[in-house]
Amino acid sequence: MPGDHRRIRGPEESQPQLYAAGEGEAPAPRDPARLRPVYARAGLLSQAKGSAYLEAGGPKVLCAESGPRRAEGGERGGGSVGAGCEAPAALSGRLLCDFRRAPFSGRGRDAPPGGGEERELARALQESLEPVGRLGRYPRAQLEVSALLLGDGGSALAAPLTAAPLALADTGVETYDLVVGCSLSRAPAPAPAWLLEPTLLEEERAAAGLTVALMPVLKQVAGLLGSGEGGPTESWAEAMRLGFEGCQRLYPVLQQCSVQAAHRRGAAAPL
Amino acid sequence: MYHSPIKGSREDLRVDGRGCEDYRCVEVETDVVSNTSGSARVKLGHTDILVGVKAEMGTPKLEKPNEGYLEFFVDCSASATPEFEGRGGDDLGTEIANTLYRIFNKSSIDLESLCISPREHCWALYVDVLLLECGGNLFDAISIAVKAALFNTRIPRVRVLEDEEGSKDIELSDDPYDCIQLSVENVPCIVTLCKIGYRHVVDATLQEEACSLASLLVSVTSKGVVTCMRKVGKGSLDPESIFEMLETGKRVGKVLHASLQSILHKEESLGPKRQKVGFLG
């Protein structure tokens, strides 16, 4: 467990014994476009303005959203690419995203929170959510979305990408559409094929990975993050098409979840 | 006269007269810092980047005992733009460092050549990027500078001597010019394509970046293989635009690599007697 010497006196570096076991396992062959069954529920946390829980096979994520509340800080713009002449921060709302992994979510005990990977994924989450919220309607306001990954079963970024907009919609903030996230991975040679929603085993052995976030009704891509040896551009394009199709297939489940949450809220409100 | 970047991009004419796929004039100089194993300075319009690479002996990572490794650190200095004062540049620095980690994959640099003795010693290359001036299109300039600095890196040749008791000793070669040079053929470069209006432009200035709501960052190797893709910005992109931008990125990337390779080889062939411009040019 790197770093946390104040609480626990232990060796500098350690690794779980699972490293040696399971080397010979090969992922079972399966239909490349199969989607895992999804369970989604919005409006489950009493203390958050909006919340959503999503379970998609392996990954389990809990998203909570608080706000809109008064924005802190001055006119400093955010760290977007090429910090330059941005519109003044007061004209539209700000979205702050936080992504955390629970220490027990992965196979080995993870590093304490705040690591580089979490900040990168929080940034990816923010960039995918910004197109969907009508932030212009909430000037000088700040919306905070926090995603907690409770279990990692492959596709760790796709699940929060799907749950966070559900939480946002649950708050009652105006949005253009929902966002659905889908992840893909490319198996290494000799059979390089793109697989939709990889399991943890498939993701570990993958040569490349891609996560797409699509707004299904508007058919616009809200987020895209991919890296690895994906091969030529045609291969990446094929992966994106597979991802978009997967997002469209997932959308009815989330739409239904959102409607059910709205009914529950409506029924609970005092008349 | 008022120039509109949005209307202009439709007709393949930008504010400074470039076409949509043209880069600004790039100046690359290597070996600018004497205390490093390799360094490079890149000026792309008003964007100025300095990269230093230091090779140090380290222990290989647990899961990769036969390989060395690269570590990226990005520092956005306050002189680049007033917004980087204090901790302001940290977020951007982390974002750039994370992107650099993503674009480098197994085939970019031969990490096994950096291994000295498995599980015990390896070369760790610390790549430090310093943003001196920010004039738009940071990612492209940084990736060019990193590639040039890695090309310029010279790692001393070492031998592992084992004596009778089994203890190992590392011997450095006596000749200071006896070095390993890294092959940077597969090191990718980033091409950022900004969506402005209906078209996309390469190498956006600060003004053009302000007009663009979304960009696609593509990392391409010299052979046209894409190693990383990322959508940046607050807006959304149409799937068809993404496919087009990917093709443009690949095309532009290949041309960029070809020019960079030829310039780096030409500079190296001038030998130690070449005129160094440094920071006064």
Side-chain angles (χ1 to χ4, degrees), chain A residues 91-117:
Chain A
L91 282 185
S92 86
R94 241 175 27 177
L95 190 69
L96 294 172
C97 288
D98 182 37
F99 178 88
R100 266 169 218 266
R101 272 181 198 267
F104 42 77
S105 59
R107 274 218 205 163
R109 193 205 181 275
D110 288 332
E117 195 214 354

Side-chain angles (χ1 to χ4, degrees), chain B residues 11-28:
Chain B
E11 280 137 42
D12 200 22
L13 183 67
R14 290 153 79 173
V15 175
D16 49 9
R18 288 184 284 158
C20 286
E21 294 184 12
D22 295 336
Y23 267 89
R24 285 170 287 184
C25 179
V26 185
E27 290 168 29
V28 178

Side-chain angles (χ1 to χ4, degrees), chain B residues 131-168:
Chain B
L131 246 71
L132 299 171
E133 203 185 337
C134 184
N137 203 16
L138 289 175
F139 285 94
D140 296 27
I142 289 175
S143 67
I144 296 173
V146 168
K147 181 165 182 168
L150 286 171
F151 178 81
N152 182 239
T153 303
R154 301 285 180 268
I155 302 173
R157 225 180 270 274
V158 291
R159 279 188 313 154
V160 182
L161 301 166
E162 204 170 316
D163 58 13
E164 307 89 41
E165 287 139 43
S167 65
K168 292 191 179 153

Side-chain angles (χ1 to χ4, degrees), chain B residues 3-277:
Chain B
H3 294 275
S4 163
I6 298 176
K7 288 207 194 101
S9 78
R10 216 180 300 158
E11 280 137 42
D12 200 22
L13 183 67
R14 290 153 79 173
V15 175
D16 49 9
R18 288 184 284 158
C20 286
E21 294 184 12
D22 295 336
Y23 267 89
R24 285 170 287 184
C25 179
V26 185
E27 290 168 29
V28 178
E29 194 183 348
T30 57
D31 207 20
V32 280
V33 182
S34 47
N35 283 334
T36 53
S37 310
S39 59
R41 179 167 174 232
V42 167
K43 273 194 78 128
L44 178 65
H46 283 295
T47 303
D48 202 342
I49 312 283
L50 178 64
V51 173
V53 179
K54 271 193 177 282
E56 286 181 14
M57 206 94 75
T59 333
K61 304 240 154 102
L62 279 173
E63 46 302 340
K64 299 200 167 89
N66 295 328
E67 292 177 3
Y69 54 92
L70 267 84
E71 298 256 325
F72 296 99
F73 298 98
V74 179
D75 185 23
C76 302
S77 87
S79 58
T81 139
E83 282 160 28
F84 292 161
E85 232 176 340
R87 304 290 304 267
D90 280 1
D91 278 343
L92 181 59
T94 322
E95 192 190 338
I96 299 174
N98 283 332
T99 310
L100 287 171
Y101 277 117
R102 253 182 203 271
I103 67 174
F104 275 76
N105 64 19
K106 284 195 284 268
S107 49
S108 311
I109 289 261
D110 183 12
L111 294 173
E112 288 188 5
S113 65
L114 295 177
C115 180
I116 302 168
S117 51
R119 261 184 278 269
E120 284 165 28
H121 302 286
C122 70
W123 285 111
L125 295 178
Y126 294 101
V127 181
D128 292 289
V129 179
L130 193 60
L131 246 71
L132 299 171
E133 203 185 337
C134 184
N137 203 16
L138 289 175
F139 285 94
D140 296 27
I142 289 175
S143 67
I144 296 173
V146 168
K147 181 165 182 168
L150 286 171
F151 178 81
N152 182 239
T153 303
R154 301 285 180 268
I155 302 173
R157 225 180 270 274
V158 291
R159 279 188 313 154
V160 182
L161 301 166
E162 204 170 316
D163 58 13
E164 307 89 41
E165 287 139 43
S167 65
K168 292 191 179 153
D169 206 18
I170 298 191
E171 187 194 288
L172 200 60
S173 164
D174 281 334
D175 180 5
Y177 291 104
D178 184 15
C179 299
I180 320 172
Q181 197 178 349
L182 292 168
S183 160
V184 295
E185 252 187 51
N186 286 328
V187 170
C189 271
I190 299 179
V191 178
T192 310
L193 301 116
C194 290
K195 187 91 194 288
I196 297 183
Y198 292 112
R199 294 194 61 168
H200 46 270
V201 299
V202 164
D203 190 21
T205 57
L206 278 179
Q207 194 190 32
E208 287 168 334
E209 276 178 1
C211 296
S212 158
L213 282 176
S215 317
L216 187 71
L217 204 129
V218 179
S219 138
V220 193
T221 63
S222 52
K223 300 190 177 84
V225 173
V226 172
T227 61
C228 173
M229 271 205 307
R230 203 182 122 197
K231 175 231 142 203
V232 181
K234 294 187 192 213
S236 59
L237 288 169
D238 197 69
E240 287 308 316
S241 314
I242 296 187
F243 299 139
E244 269 173 35
M245 283 153 106
L246 205 54
E247 287 302 316
T248 310
K250 175 172 120 176
R251 201 170 47 235
V252 171
K254 278 172 130 167
V255 171
L256 179 66
H257 274 290
S259 338
L260 186 62
Q261 287 283 112
S262 72
I263 293 218
L264 288 174
H265 281 117
K266 201 162 96 173
E267 196 194 21
E268 201 193 357
S269 68
L270 289 174
K273 296 211 173 48
R274 69 178 158 95
Q275 207 182 15
K276 296 203 179 182
V277 177

Side-chain angles (χ1 to χ4, degrees), chain A residues 27-47:
Chain A
R30 47 93 150 184
D31 172 23
R34 73 103 178 88
L35 285 174
R36 287 184 286 195
V38 163
Y39 171 77
R41 181 167 160 150
L44 61 155
L45 293 176
S46 59
Q47 296 302 311

